[in-house]
Amino acid sequence: MVKRCIGIDIGPFYLCAVQVVRTDEEFCIEKVFGTQIRRSTDSPEEMLKLFFNRYGFDKRADVAISMPHDAVFFRNLETDAEGLEKIRERNWSALEHNFPVGADEIVAQVYSYHPIPNGKYSVLTAASARQSLQERLNIFTEAKMHPGLVEAPIFAVHSTVAVNYPEIMTGQAIIAYIDECYLTLAVTRSDDILAVRRFPIITESDSDIKSVQERIAQVISREARVTWRKVFGADIERDTQIYLITTGKSSDHLVEKIEENLHSKTTIVDCYATVENLSRHMMEIPVCVAEGLALRILAPEKTKGINFLEACKTDAASALNLRKEFVFCATLMCLIAVFLLVGLFTRLSHLEAAYARIKNETTEIFQATLPQEKNIVNPLLQLEQKIESFRRDSRLFASLSDSGLSPLDALYKISANGPLRENIKVVDILIAADTVRINGTCDSFEPVYQWQQLLQEDPGFTFVDVKDIQKQSKSGVVHFTMLLSLSTQEPK
């Protein structure tokens, strides 16, 4: 079975990618790409986009990447069995004061733990900030790459050493990894790293290579002794194996000084000791981290490390901080209460505005309906009282007639049945209990009798008679009196 993986290491001043293929138990480096990143215009995103089209990297291969050195923190925590269980259950509140990252922002994973005196355990934990992880992933998202592993560089280096120098898996050793900015020391036992320490490298521009290497050798010797004694409680034994990885072109003097100070056997790591190199040329940029990243995926049985990407997903899915949840719920309830109060006050304001508008409209209607009323106290009540008064007057006026036709109905029928376009003037109308008398004038006799005929056809009148119709000789005006009898049946 053939499987490929691309390891990508982005340092402060370089970018290195290695494509490794595994066939059965053999590992081969198929492609290597490396470039310097020193100018502000050097964009890692643009360089990553060239991998597949220009340099022929396999688009189907898995991708593993490294975190920046200064974005990863290591701590050896001493805890009891209960504390160890909390850390293994990913209760990062116990780590809140051990890392320069807040408990809610921490992305951490336990690498190893081992018993120490007094019934306690030493737990090696690596942590980073969620924001730092997201910034690193954003670089690859823009390049349309989706890593499956995000590893700390020193653990990737350990994977490279473990595959090329399998004897490290059976004893105690020290790994010293030196890049352009940092020195990282790792103390190992069997297949575990027990402690990790990192130191910045400060060099003067006018210093020669030998003096720089002597200072680095002094730092390695001093800190290796301190770390070894802290882990094992004893001095470094003679001939302890030290594996050295450095970006320098020449490390002979550095090796000589380390062996002189520690009386140890120091090996400069060859990344191609057991891994075959099929790439066309060797790169000056070290491939140790990139190779180890690829081997972490291709050889899980031979390597060990952490995965910040997996830790981030697990923390997001399962982490439970009761205090944080309580604060969140309390804050949410307060916000809901605030929104409800704001909503109630807003609704009250709208209702008050609507009430004032309706009150003004009622006053305007009252003034338009009853302009003679000057004393306005309660317009709505006063209107209701006036309407009730009109109703009483209407019932009283209708009660004057025992017939089925009320005076108002009689008046309406007389008006509705008047002759069209005729010059008839009504002088007065008297409506009694069951009769109506109309006095009026007209230009001639004919319109009077036409009107009489129209009123006789209406069922509301049982009898219509014209009385005292006379025409004045001087003016020619016809005066008439018309008597009508109202119907005694209820109108339908």
Side-chain angles (χ1 to χ4, degrees), residues 231-279:
V231 173
F232 298 114
D235 293 333
I236 299 177
E237 300 176 0
R238 295 181 66 90
D239 299 327
T240 296
Q241 184 67 57
I242 297 179
Y243 295 92
L244 179 65
I245 303 97
T246 177
T247 58
K249 296 181 180 180
S250 175
S251 304
D252 295 339
H253 188 66
L254 178 60
V255 171
E256 179 183 342
K257 286 298 180 179
I258 293 174
E259 291 181 343
E260 180 183 330
N261 294 334
L262 295 177
H263 306 290
S264 61
K265 182 180 179 181
T266 304
T267 301
I268 298 177
V269 173
D270 180 7
C271 297
Y272 311 105
T274 61
V275 178
E276 185 179 0
N277 181 17
L278 300 180
S279 61

Side-chain angles (χ1 to χ4, degrees), residues 441-454:
T441 62
C442 189
D443 294 338
S444 62
F445 296 99
E446 182 178 359
V448 177
Y449 293 110
Q450 288 179 353
W451 191 14
Q452 179 187 14
Q453 185 178 358
L454 289 174

Side-chain angles (χ1 to χ4, degrees), residues 186-344:
V187 176
T188 71
R189 182 174 61 188
S190 300
D191 61 342
D192 275 340
I193 295 178
L194 303 184
V196 175
R197 299 182 68 194
R198 185 178 63 240
F199 312 92
I201 295 177
I202 302 175
T203 59
E204 298 177 2
S205 58
D206 57 346
S207 300
D208 58 12
I209 295 177
K210 283 191 176 183
S211 62
V212 170
Q213 291 184 353
E214 286 180 2
R215 286 198 297 269
I216 293 176
Q218 290 175 0
V219 174
I220 292 176
S221 303
R222 182 182 65 251
E223 299 302 334
R225 289 192 185 97
V226 173
T227 308
W228 190 278
R229 175 168 287 278
K230 184 175 182 180
V231 173
F232 298 114
D235 293 333
I236 299 177
E237 300 176 0
R238 295 181 66 90
D239 299 327
T240 296
Q241 184 67 57
I242 297 179
Y243 295 92
L244 179 65
I245 303 97
T246 177
T247 58
K249 296 181 180 180
S250 175
S251 304
D252 295 339
H253 188 66
L254 178 60
V255 171
E256 179 183 342
K257 286 298 180 179
I258 293 174
E259 291 181 343
E260 180 183 330
N261 294 334
L262 295 177
H263 306 290
S264 61
K265 182 180 179 181
T266 304
T267 301
I268 298 177
V269 173
D270 180 7
C271 297
Y272 311 105
T274 61
V275 178
E276 185 179 0
N277 181 17
L278 300 180
S279 61
R280 296 182 180 180
H281 55 278
M282 303 290 289
M283 304 299 300
E284 293 183 359
I285 294 178
V287 299
C288 187
V289 174
E291 179 182 334
L293 292 169
L295 292 173
R296 278 276 288 114
I297 292 181
L298 295 177
E301 77 283 1
K302 297 183 179 182
T303 62
K304 183 178 179 181
I306 62 174
N307 188 351
F308 283 116
L309 185 63
E310 179 182 334
C312 182
K313 292 179 180 178
T314 304
D315 290 343
S318 61
L320 178 62
N321 188 326
L322 294 179
R323 186 177 67 177
K324 179 181 176 182
E325 294 295 329
F326 176 78
V327 172
F328 175 77
C329 291
T331 304
L332 184 61
M333 293 178 65
C334 291
L335 289 175
I336 292 174
V338 169
F339 282 123
L340 287 176
L341 289 175
V342 171
L344 289 175

Side-chain angles (χ1 to χ4, degrees), residues 463-478:
F463 178 76
V464 180
D465 188 19
V466 177
K467 298 288 188 178
D468 298 331
I469 183 169
Q470 298 177 2
K471 183 176 182 180
Q472 293 183 358
S473 57
K474 292 183 179 181
S475 62
V477 177
V478 176

Side-chain angles (χ1 to χ4, degrees), residues 330-396:
T331 304
L332 184 61
M333 293 178 65
C334 291
L335 289 175
I336 292 174
V338 169
F339 282 123
L340 287 176
L341 289 175
V342 171
L344 289 175
F345 281 114
T346 303
R347 183 171 178 80
L348 177 62
S349 176
H350 287 324
L351 290 176
E352 289 177 346
Y355 174 76
R357 185 178 64 255
I358 293 173
K359 188 175 181 180
N360 292 334
E361 292 177 354
T362 303
T363 303
E364 293 175 358
I365 293 174
F366 181 86
Q367 292 174 342
T369 306
L370 302 173
Q372 69 278 9
E373 290 286 345
K374 302 301 181 183
N375 186 19
I376 303 176
V377 179
N378 189 333
L380 185 59
L381 180 61
Q382 289 177 271
L383 279 174
E384 290 179 350
Q385 291 174 350
K386 184 63 68 174
I387 292 173
E388 184 62 28
S389 176
F390 287 154
R391 287 173 180 169
R392 288 196 302 268
D393 293 343
S394 176
R395 287 195 296 270
L396 180 61

